[in-house]
Amino acid sequence: MNGAQNNSIYGLTDQSNLSSGSNNADAYNGSEADLLLDNEEEYPHPYSDEYVLLERKMRNRLSFFFMNPIEKWKTRRRFPYKFLVQIIKIILVTLQLSLFAHTRYSHVNYTWGNRITFSHLFIKGWDPAREIVSYPPALGPLAIYNIESFYSTINYAVVGYANISNAIGSYSYLNEDSKVVDPTFCTVHYKEGSAFGFNESYTFDGEIIQECLNVTITDDIKTKGFSIKDYLIQHNKTIYFSSLLKAKLKFALKTVNFKVAGKYSPPDCYKFEIQIILNNEDMDGQVLVDLEVNPFRLNCKGSVEYIIDNKVESFLRSVLNYFVIIVCTISMILCTRAILRAQLLKYETIRYFEDMLKSTLSYKARWEFWNLWYIMIIINDILIICGSGIKERIERKQFIGDQWNLCSVLLGTGNLLVWFGVLRYLTFFKTYNGVILTLRQAFPNTSRFILCAILLYAGFTFCGWLVLGPYHMKFRSLASTSECLFSLINGDDMYATFTIMATKSSLLWWFSRLYLYCFISLFIYVVINLFLSVIIDSYETIKNQPHVIKPKTDLEKFMVEGTFPTSTFDITEETDNWAHVSFAQTVRRIFCSFCM
């Protein structure tokens, strides 16, 4: 490494300025003379003017780097442009999310209403009580138990599809001329499966086969009804229920939603892909009946009148989306640039400690150069940019499929992190800094405590799932078991959890009592209180921090004390020359620092 490289790292002034008696800290500009060489004997003398100036510059740069925007403004009147970008971003992103949330609610509510309509039109024996989501559920699963009910369920759905014109909703078939499209009936079954219970024997081939058949819709079906059993016989098909896994009836319908239409917005056109599923996978004599609906938004072809050809709202929404993408891109670039420059300063500091102070910068001090707030901002910028792009394509109806859920997850998570990022600016004021400092202080202890609690929680979860699962509805799956136990920790629905347990086995009944009492007592009276005590202890530590002498890192000692008493410095002299370096030069400097 030559002297010029050392000067580039440490930011020395030109030697001519030093020789002429100039002691101005603002004079370094990247074209420094070779004051430091690899040869240790040619380093500046510890008490020379060159050494004092070099240390003062390094301390100035470090002190200025660790200032918050308010302190930088007071020191050098540097405008906090990153803060301004974040304020603009939070306003635009929140406005965008509010508009999208309203549109998505209308979309989901409309598709759910159509699903209920299709349940009444195509499922025999549908009860309106099933439309209310309640806990515990008022009714059991909709199921059929004999062959005649199986065939009648299919017949009811086919007749309902053929007579869709009688429905109150404006439903039509997929063909452009609204001619009926034949539905498809499919069966999924084992290649061979016959059981002979009288002598405990069977024939079985585990290969799974799917067979499909188009059901021709005729005018007679609308008036005289339909028999799937006779239709299968006509096509030489037979259903063997001993090997049947699943039966499906598939068809699709189109409709137009006028509710969303307004002075500036057009109606929406939808295609609903409908499947009526008769599930016999458990083979327990109970065939579950279910209806699945997949909505797809289509491009409408209507003759309607709207202001400016129906493009005002679309234009405004697109402008908002593009503004959000632009602002988030600027925010991401600024934060990435700040992180790269911080790493450049870190490597300069490491080199300074090694070459000038003959010591190694501690890992704790190196971690101070990573700003996790900036990393969080970059993550939420990426999420919002992706979500805004999907939102724009949804509003332009360029997606054939349903991407509403993905878009809502991206925008919702991004907006959540944006609001979290505002806490960074509140930490600059001591009055509002309590939450962040408490979480930071408590993080190591709470992490270790949570790890131990998770081990206990996992043991109770697996035990409850295995032992109580077949007899308790809250323990049917691993996920539901974990959700039940987490609810018990918060004191929710305790009595119902005790009483729902089946009394078929007295051993398991007594075990469930012991299990629940132990879990509730351990986690509510011990674990939660210990967890709260850790948080409270951290808060008390922060509260009394002014009276506690906090040990300083080697970097903090260097910034405050220096290496000798004559190394006083004035932060107002710091010009932050490297702030004027381009983004590409910053990346190149970091790359060179890695290579050295």
Side-chain angles (χ1 to χ4, degrees), residues 196-226:
F196 309 100
F198 60 90
N199 60 356
E200 300 88 26
S201 61
Y202 60 86
T203 58
F204 179 73
D205 187 337
E207 181 182 352
I208 296 177
I209 298 176
Q210 176 172 314
E211 297 179 339
C212 294
L213 178 67
N214 289 333
V215 179
T216 304
I217 303 298
T218 62
D219 293 336
D220 292 338
I221 293 179
K222 299 180 181 180
T223 57
K224 299 180 181 180
F226 176 76

Side-chain angles (χ1 to χ4, degrees), residues 188-317:
V188 180
H189 57 87
Y190 292 118
K191 186 175 182 180
E192 185 176 359
S194 300
F196 309 100
F198 60 90
N199 60 356
E200 300 88 26
S201 61
Y202 60 86
T203 58
F204 179 73
D205 187 337
E207 181 182 352
I208 296 177
I209 298 176
Q210 176 172 314
E211 297 179 339
C212 294
L213 178 67
N214 289 333
V215 179
T216 304
I217 303 298
T218 62
D219 293 336
D220 292 338
I221 293 179
K222 299 180 181 180
T223 57
K224 299 180 181 180
F226 176 76
S227 174
I228 186 65
K229 184 176 182 180
D230 296 338
Y231 191 82
L232 292 174
I233 293 175
Q234 293 175 8
H235 291 79
N236 298 321
K237 301 289 184 180
T238 303
I239 297 178
Y240 297 98
F241 289 93
S242 59
S243 61
L244 180 66
L245 292 173
K246 191 180 294 184
K248 300 179 183 179
L249 182 66
K250 298 185 289 185
F251 51 88
L253 295 171
K254 289 182 180 180
T255 187
V256 179
N257 180 18
F258 288 118
K259 180 180 179 180
V260 297
K263 192 174 182 180
Y264 300 99
S265 58
D268 283 336
C269 298
Y270 285 90
K271 180 183 73 172
F272 292 100
E273 292 185 351
I274 304 168
Q275 288 191 75
I276 298 174
I277 302 174
L278 289 81
N279 192 341
N280 190 40
E281 290 180 340
D282 290 339
M283 292 193 170
D284 55 0
Q286 179 179 242
V287 179
L288 302 179
V289 181
D290 190 21
L291 182 139
E292 291 185 357
V293 178
N294 293 320
F296 297 88
R297 202 163 66 153
L298 307 175
N299 288 316
C300 292
K301 302 175 184 178
S303 178
V304 292
E305 292 183 0
Y306 291 92
I307 293 180
I308 316 179
D309 295 331
N310 188 31
K311 294 182 180 179
V312 173
E313 185 185 26
S314 177
F315 174 76
L316 294 178
R317 288 179 181 269

Side-chain angles (χ1 to χ4, degrees), residues 327-536:
V327 172
C328 289
T329 303
I330 294 174
S331 171
M332 183 172 61
I333 292 175
L334 291 176
C335 292
T336 304
R337 178 172 169 263
I339 290 176
L340 292 177
R341 287 181 168 176
Q343 297 311 300
L344 176 62
L345 180 60
K346 181 181 74 173
Y347 290 118
E348 293 178 9
T349 306
I350 293 173
R351 294 287 302 282
Y352 180 89
F353 269 66
E354 292 176 350
D355 295 344
M356 302 297 294
L357 304 182
K358 304 304 179 184
S359 64
T360 302
L361 188 65
S362 64
Y363 288 101
K364 184 177 181 181
R366 297 183 187 189
W367 183 251
E368 295 294 329
F369 288 92
W370 284 102
N371 193 322
L372 299 182
W373 290 107
Y374 286 160
I375 296 176
M376 187 185 71
I377 291 174
I378 292 173
I379 293 174
N380 74 59
D381 287 334
I382 295 174
L383 293 175
I384 293 173
I385 290 173
C386 296
S388 299
I390 297 175
K391 177 177 179 290
E392 178 65 18
R393 297 193 65 182
I394 288 176
E395 291 172 349
R396 289 178 175 269
K397 301 178 182 178
Q398 294 179 352
F399 273 133
I400 298 177
D402 187 6
Q403 299 294 328
W404 293 82
N405 292 333
L406 175 61
C407 182
S408 63
V409 169
L410 293 175
L411 290 181
T413 307
N415 192 271
L416 173 68
L417 296 179
V418 167
W419 281 96
F420 279 0
V422 178
L423 289 175
R424 172 178 181 261
Y425 299 99
L426 293 179
T427 58
F428 302 151
F429 305 94
K430 294 182 179 179
T431 308
Y432 303 99
N433 203 17
V435 175
I436 299 300
L437 292 178
T438 302
L439 293 177
R440 183 184 301 172
Q441 177 73 20
F443 180 76
N445 292 330
T446 54
S447 299
R448 290 188 287 267
F449 183 85
I450 290 175
L451 177 61
C452 297
I454 287 176
L455 297 177
L456 294 174
Y457 188 83
F460 275 98
T461 301
F462 284 106
C463 177
W465 177 40
L466 173 64
V467 179
L468 306 180
Y471 303 99
H472 200 298
M473 63 177 300
K474 291 187 176 183
F475 293 83
R476 294 286 170 83
S477 65
L478 187 62
S480 63
T481 301
S482 177
E483 293 161 2
C484 173
L485 295 180
F486 189 80
S487 299
L488 290 176
I489 292 176
N490 294 278
D492 182 34
D493 216 13
M494 286 190 181
Y495 183 72
T497 305
F498 278 95
T499 56
I500 291 175
M501 179 65 190
T503 58
K504 182 177 181 179
S505 172
S506 59
L507 172 63
L508 294 181
W509 188 87
W510 283 107
F511 177 85
S512 68
R513 264 52 189 171
L514 179 63
Y515 170 85
L516 292 175
Y517 280 126
C518 291
F519 177 81
I520 293 172
S521 301
L522 177 62
F523 274 83
I524 291 183
Y525 302 126
V526 179
V527 174
I528 289 183
N529 285 289
L530 288 176
F531 182 78
L532 292 177
S533 66
V534 172
I535 302 295
I536 294 173

